[in-house]
Amino acid sequence: MFLFRRGTARVTPDQARRSTTDGDAVLLDVREQVEWNAGHAPGAVHVPLSRLVTGSGLPATAEGRPLVVICRSGHRSQQAAKLLAGRGAEAVDVKGGMHAWASSGLPVVDERGSSGRIA
């Protein structure tokens, strides 16, 4: 996949959506539980950065797959992508995070699957 050739690159929300719907990549949301519950991308996998920093692993659905990491604004996801790349994962992060995702018109759902919001 072209997104993962240069280590911890940054991608646009549209590139993230394409790579996680048309490719083998997993969208990994690293925001905290309250933020996730309020609104996240459909199909995303959730592991807060605070857990990754303390050594938590990835869910089985994300193990060994390319990762597209997202947070609220892009700062935590950039940290997480670097951390995961240091552990040997293929990881990129989404520029502008969920704010950019939603501004691009991409879907956001809450914990019940209804229309969500970015907290």
Side-chain angles (χ1 to χ4, degrees), residues 29-113:
D29 192 318
V30 296
R31 295 175 300 145
E32 294 302 319
Q33 190 69 48
V34 171
E35 296 170 290
W36 166 266
N37 291 348
H40 56 273
V45 173
H46 182 230
V47 179
L49 176 60
S50 58
R51 286 188 32 214
L52 289 174
V53 167
T54 61
S56 286
L58 297 170
T61 57
E63 280 293 331
R65 294 176 63 190
L67 303 169
V68 178
V69 187
I70 195 165
C71 66
R72 183 177 52 219
S73 65
H75 179 71
R76 286 176 285 178
S77 60
Q78 195 171 25
Q79 289 179 293
K82 288 178 183 175
L83 177 99
L84 292 163
R87 294 181 185 171
E90 293 179 78
V92 297
D93 83 288
V94 180
K95 286 187 282 187
M98 285 300 297
H99 282 301
W101 179 277
S103 293
S104 295
L106 297 173
V108 177
V109 296
D110 66 13
E111 62 185 318
R112 295 175 303 278

Side-chain angles (χ1 to χ4, degrees), residues 1-20 23 25 66-68 90-94:
M1 177 176 287
F2 79 95
L3 298 176
F4 298 97
R5 288 189 188 153
R6 298 177 195 242
T8 55
R10 304 198 84 193
V11 298
T12 66
D14 289 326
Q15 289 172 316
R17 174 75 184 259
R18 279 194 304 277
S19 67
T20 57
L67 303 169
V68 178
E90 293 179 78
V92 297
D93 83 288
V94 180

